[in-house]
């Protein structure tokens, strides 16, 4: 599939803010198999933190690298790694290939393929793979951003295969797309519509200096402050930090959970939740958007799951369906997770 090469600024604006990394280890993505990982394990590709260099460090097989590196002189056209997505399935828009610190041993070219294997199966020799990202050159020690020219794939996949031609090293692999949620049949069932597996996406925020907003929508309560959302310290009266989340489906809210797990000296002083029912991101980001408060300013606690439910006297104005949620921190701080439990309409 033809691709367009763009820079990081454009990628962040057009891809990272609108789609989810559907293979990241923090979402549950995992390496199933690879052709070779002699120098460095393929699982490193999915690590959430940026790659590092420890020059002078050696293993039994050679120099240590924070990424995936295969042997020289591959007799096959390409080395490959197969990855199971961290969501049930997804349609794909583009990817990031980071060859940080691989210079002279980087992968000269890559492509990406996808497959859907039903019934919890795994790919085998008979699996049909479809092109997602056509073969494209890679440079040494740099972040590279590739977007499908024709937009999201028509098909959805639960496995992807990254091929590097003919061998070499890649530090990180991010694959962005829209999860295809598996919702309960009954509309009366309450679902967390902000969860990434439900299709929730954080589309904009005021600041994400210490931790990115996509962490808010991940499963579980995380492992430390590093996998939450945290902003810089504000120095001006009246400051507020905020994030806008597009829900995975239109719904009527029954419960909101704001979790400050692991944030013990840097949790927000107060939190507020607002909602909006609109058709697209542009309308939600407009200065004219008519946001409605459903959780008025509430004092926050350290390392605590704040729950706001119907009839608790705090959660209000939830009679109508909504498509977007805005979480506000007053004045700043850190939050681990946001849950928005609702009935789809």
């Amino acid at each position: 599939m033809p691709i367009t090469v763009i820079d990081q600024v454009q990628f962040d604006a057009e891809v990272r803010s609108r789609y989810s990394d559907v293979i990241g280890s923090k979402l549950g993505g995992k390496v199933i198999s690879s052709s070779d990982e002699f120098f460095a394990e393929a699982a490193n590709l999915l690590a959430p933190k940026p790659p590092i260099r420890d020059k002078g460090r050696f293993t039994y097989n050679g120099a240590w690298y924070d990424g995936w590196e295969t042997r020289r002189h591959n007799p096959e056209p390409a080395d490959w790694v197969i990855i199971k997505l961290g969501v049930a399935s997804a349609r794909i828009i583009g990817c990031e290939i980071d060859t940080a610190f691989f210079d002279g041993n980087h992968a000269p070219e890559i492509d990406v393929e996808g497959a859907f294997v039903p019934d919890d199966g795994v790919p085998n020799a008979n699996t049909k793979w479809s092109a997602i990202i056509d073969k494209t050159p890679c440079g040494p020690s740099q972040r590279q951003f590739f977007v499908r020219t024709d937009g999201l794939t028509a098909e959805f996949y639960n496995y992807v295969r990254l091929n590097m031609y003919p061998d070499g090293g890649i530090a990180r692999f991010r694959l962005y797309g829209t999860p295809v949620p598996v919702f309960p049949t009954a509309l009366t069932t309450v679902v967390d519509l902000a969860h990434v597996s439900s299709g929730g996406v954080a589309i904009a925020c005021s600041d994400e200096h210490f931790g990115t907003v996509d962490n808010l929508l991940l499963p579980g309560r995380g492992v430390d402050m590093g996998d939450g959302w945290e902003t810089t310290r504000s120095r001006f009266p009246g400051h507020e930090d905020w994030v806008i989340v597009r829900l995975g489906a239109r719904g009527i809210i029954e419960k909101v959970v704001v979790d400050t797990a692991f944030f013990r000296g840097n949790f927000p002083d107060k939190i507020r939740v607002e909602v909006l029912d609109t058709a697209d991101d542009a309308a939600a980001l407009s200065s004219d958007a008519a946001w409605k408060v459903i959780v008025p300013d509430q004092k926050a606690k350290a390392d605590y799951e704040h729950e706001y439910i119907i009839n608790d006297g705090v959660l209000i104005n939830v009679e109508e369906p909504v498509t977007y949620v805005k979480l506000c921190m007053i004045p700043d701080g850190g939050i681990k997770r946001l849950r928005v439990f609702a009935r789809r309409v």
Side-chain angles (χ1 to χ4, degrees), residues 256-277:
V256 173
V257 178
V258 179
D259 188 358
T260 56
F262 301 101
F263 289 99
R264 300 183 178 112
N266 50 354
F267 60 97
D269 179 43
K270 295 179 181 180
I271 50 182
R272 183 175 69 252
V273 182
E274 304 175 7
V275 295
L276 182 69
D277 186 28

Side-chain angles (χ1 to χ4, degrees), residues 61-218:
N61 288 340
W64 179 89
Y65 276 89
D66 186 6
W68 171 44
E69 187 181 7
T70 64
R71 293 175 176 87
R72 294 183 184 231
H73 315 309
N74 183 13
E76 301 297 327
D79 276 318
W80 51 264
V81 57
I82 294 176
I83 298 165
K84 181 175 175 58
L85 272 60
V87 294
S89 63
R91 299 167 63 204
I92 307 302
I93 187 69
C95 72
E96 175 188 349
I97 298 291
D98 186 355
T99 56
F101 309 112
F102 287 100
D103 188 352
N105 56 346
H106 63 283
E109 295 179 300
I110 63 96
D111 67 23
V112 182
E113 301 169 298
F116 185 85
V117 182
D119 303 323
D120 295 323
V122 295
N124 56 39
N126 297 319
T127 298
K128 180 182 178 182
W129 294 93
S130 302
I132 297 176
I133 302 291
D134 277 352
K135 185 189 289 189
T136 187
C138 289
S141 195
Q142 59 188 277
R143 297 176 69 183
Q144 295 138 114
F145 305 93
F146 309 124
V147 179
R148 287 170 48 87
T149 305
D150 292 343
L152 281 166
T153 58
E155 299 178 351
F156 50 87
Y157 311 102
N158 56 359
Y159 288 90
V160 294
R161 182 167 65 187
L162 170 63
N163 302 302
M164 62 177 176
Y165 299 85
D167 50 46
I170 297 171
R172 295 291 187 269
F173 176 37
R174 312 293 189 215
L175 188 70
Y176 289 85
T178 298
V180 179
V182 181
F183 286 128
T185 304
L187 291 177
T188 54
T189 304
V190 176
V191 179
D192 178 9
L193 294 181
H195 197 287
V196 64
S197 293
S198 296
V201 179
I203 64 166
C205 68
S206 58
D207 177 89
E208 48 184 350
H209 186 81
F210 294 109
T212 57
V213 289
D214 60 307
N215 290 330
L216 289 170
L217 314 182
L218 295 175

Side-chain angles (χ1 to χ4, degrees), residues 26-73:
K26 62 185 181 181
L27 184 55
K30 58 183 179 180
V31 169
I32 300 300
S33 60
S34 65
S35 60
D36 185 274
E37 47 185 1
F38 185 82
F39 289 111
E41 295 182 359
N44 293 328
L45 289 168
L46 312 183
K49 295 182 179 180
I52 62 172
R53 180 72 169 116
D54 191 355
K55 195 172 183 178
R57 177 180 174 184
F58 285 82
T59 69
Y60 178 83
N61 288 340
W64 179 89
Y65 276 89
D66 186 6
W68 171 44
E69 187 181 7
T70 64
R71 293 175 176 87
R72 294 183 184 231
H73 315 309

Side-chain angles (χ1 to χ4, degrees), residues 265-344:
N266 50 354
F267 60 97
D269 179 43
K270 295 179 181 180
I271 50 182
R272 183 175 69 252
V273 182
E274 304 175 7
V275 295
L276 182 69
D277 186 28
T278 189
D280 56 61
D281 291 354
L285 297 173
S286 168
S287 59
D288 297 327
W291 291 93
K292 180 171 61 176
V293 174
I294 62 168
V295 177
D297 294 5
Q298 297 291 308
K299 289 288 288 185
K301 299 179 182 179
D303 199 4
Y304 184 77
E305 286 186 287
H306 307 75
E307 292 192 0
Y308 309 106
I309 60 176
I310 290 178
N311 300 324
D312 67 355
V314 177
L315 186 64
I316 58 174
N317 299 325
V318 290
E319 298 81 11
E320 300 297 327
V322 298
T323 51
Y324 291 82
V325 170
K326 180 192 286 186
L327 172 62
C328 302
M329 293 195 294
I330 306 167
D332 53 43
I335 292 174
K336 177 53 70 73
R337 299 288 186 264
L338 170 66
R339 309 295 186 208
V340 181
F341 295 96
R343 291 177 287 110
R344 290 173 297 127

